């Protein structure tokens, strides 16, 4: 897909996020929206995956370490064809397979159940080592929140990945600057994020998380990097695409009411119309 096609798909994924969280009356829209462009590039351009055969052994793996942003992953999987887009409105409903955190037993395309922050990167590192030991060619991608990397387990996993030279592992940090309690640099600052990963023997790339040229270049560079894992620090805007959510920590884990939902969808419709005129 070219950049315009990717941007249009990312906008549709954002609509799915807002729709799912509104329907559930609960969930995490802010960080799902900030990561939507990364999700889009991974699933529509980067990863070797097949919705018709989601468990194929040679597929690339993805672990959503910041599991509470499941609406972003679900919307992406639905638009990629793993399950019906209409099912997004069942988010968090009793009996639905789309619960508040991803579950690998019930959701096609989910490679690891996640939710407890800090644990996803450990699972991803284990998958990457497994691929090395089995002489497999698959690659492993994991998405972390910048608040999440305050967890100590993240750095244990980073030490492990760097030590084992897991060049089939790509760690993406959604650096939107906000976590549930406020700005990350006021809660428990993880900065400088890039230097920390470098200290654990990672190749580090800083990018604009909403620039598809930058995203494309970063994943290409990661694939060409040998002998060490890659960390992509994706500088993003929390709530991207929805006017009243952008840069507002209140929307970390709050669902829009009916009036707010209408405004949000109107915002995204305008984005879509602008993209169609390009």
């Amino acid at each position: 897909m070219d950049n315009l096609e990717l941007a249009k798909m990312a906008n549709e994924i954002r609509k799915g996020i807002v729709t799912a969280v509104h329907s559930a009356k609960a969930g995490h829209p802010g960080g799902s929206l900030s990561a939507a462009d990364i999700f889009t590039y991974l699933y529509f351009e980067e990863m070797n995956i097949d919705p018709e055969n989601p468990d194929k052994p040679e597929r690339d793996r993805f672990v959503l370490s910041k599991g509470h942003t499941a609406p972003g992953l679900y919307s992406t999987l639905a638009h990629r064809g793993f399950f019906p887009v209409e099912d997004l409105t069942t988010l968090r409903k009793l009996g639905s397979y789309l619960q508040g955190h991803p579950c690998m037993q019930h959701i096609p395309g989910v490679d690891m159940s996640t939710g407890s922050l800090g644990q996803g990167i450990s699972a991803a590192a284990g998958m990457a080592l497994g691929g090395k030991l089995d002489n497999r060619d698959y690659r492993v991608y994991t998405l972390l929140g910048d608040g999440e990397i305050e967890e100590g387990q993240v750095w244990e996993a980073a030490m492990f990945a760097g030590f084992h030279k897991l060049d089939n592992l790509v760690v993406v940090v959604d650096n939107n600057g906000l976590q549930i309690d406020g700005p990350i640099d006021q809660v428990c600052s993880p900065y400088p994020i890039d230097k920390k990963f470098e200290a654990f023997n990672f190749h580090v790339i800083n990018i604009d998380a909403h620039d598809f040229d930058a995203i494309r270049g970063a994943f290409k560079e990661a694939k060409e990097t040998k002998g060490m894992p890659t960390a992509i620090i994706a500088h993003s805007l929390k709530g991207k695409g929805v006017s009243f959510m952008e840069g507002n920590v209140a929307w970390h884990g709050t669902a829009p009411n009916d009036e707010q939902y209408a405004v949000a969808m109107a915002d995204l419709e305008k984005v879509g119309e602008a993209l169609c005129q390009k």
Side-chain angles (χ1 to χ4, degrees):
M1 298 177 75
D2 62 28
N3 289 357
L4 181 57
E5 291 170 324
L6 288 166
K8 289 178 179 178
M9 180 54 64
N11 195 56
E12 293 303 309
I13 286 170
R14 287 188 167 95
K15 290 179 185 177
I17 291 167
V18 173
T19 297
V21 175
H22 169 256
S23 179
K25 296 182 172 56
H28 295 77
S32 294
L33 292 166
S34 65
D37 298 312
I38 296 293
F39 280 129
T40 302
Y41 191 82
L42 280 169
Y43 278 88
F44 286 85
E45 192 70 15
E46 175 70 11
M47 293 199 301
N48 173 25
I49 52 173
D50 181 3
E52 298 298 320
N53 186 14
D55 297 322
K56 68 176 184 177
E58 66 272 24
R59 75 189 184 283
D60 290 334
R61 274 73 168 164
F62 175 78
V63 180
L64 182 62
S65 196
K66 57 168 194 166
H68 55 284
T69 57
L73 177 59
Y74 295 165
S75 185
T76 306
L77 289 171
H79 283 88
R80 186 65 173 83
F82 283 89
F83 52 82
V85 173
E86 293 77 16
D87 287 1
L88 292 173
T89 58
T90 72
L91 176 68
R92 293 183 175 229
K93 301 288 177 60
L94 186 64
S96 173
Y97 63 102
L98 301 177
Q99 287 301 313
H101 293 95
C103 179
M104 62 189 293
Q105 286 86 0
H106 302 295
I107 307 173
V110 172
D111 294 308
M112 177 55 64
S113 302
T114 53
S116 295
L117 294 178
Q119 293 184 358
I121 183 178
S122 295
M127 290 176 177
L129 180 62
K132 290 286 189 183
L133 294 175
D134 290 341
N135 293 313
R136 307 274 284 282
D137 290 332
Y138 66 75
R139 295 177 63 75
V140 182
Y141 301 85
T142 183
L143 180 68
L144 285 76
D146 49 8
E148 179 188 7
I149 64 174
E150 295 164 8
E151 294 279 356
Q153 184 172 344
V154 168
W155 301 107
E156 294 178 48
M159 186 191 305
F160 176 92
F163 175 77
H164 287 284
K165 299 179 171 56
L166 300 180
D167 52 16
N168 58 342
L169 174 67
V170 180
V171 173
V172 182
V173 179
D174 181 24
N175 185 197
N176 59 43
L178 298 171
Q179 62 188 104
I180 191 168
D181 292 324
I184 62 169
D185 58 358
Q186 296 178 24
V187 177
C188 187
S189 178
Y191 292 122
I193 299 172
D194 49 3
K195 298 302 181 185
K196 285 185 170 67
F197 275 100
E198 286 175 0
F200 286 94
N201 298 313
F202 275 68
H203 176 65
V204 179
I205 309 167
N206 283 278
I207 63 168
D208 177 345
H210 309 305
D211 180 336
F212 281 110
D213 279 332
I215 295 170
R216 190 184 304 274
F219 282 109
K220 180 177 184 292
E221 186 175 328
K223 196 167 287 186
E224 294 170 349
T225 298
K226 304 302 179 184
M228 61 197 322
T230 294
I232 298 173
I233 316 304
H235 302 276
S236 65
L237 177 62
K238 194 137 189 167
K240 172 71 173 177
V242 177
S243 58
F244 59 89
M245 292 186 185
E246 288 189 345
N248 188 340
V249 72
W251 293 100
H252 174 87
T254 304
N257 59 29
D258 291 348
E259 182 179 346
Q260 292 164 333
Y261 173 69
V263 174
M265 294 302 284
D267 286 344
L268 295 169
E269 285 293 341
K270 289 178 183 177
V271 171
E273 290 170 4
L275 290 170
C276 287
Q277 293 174 4
K278 289 187 177 182

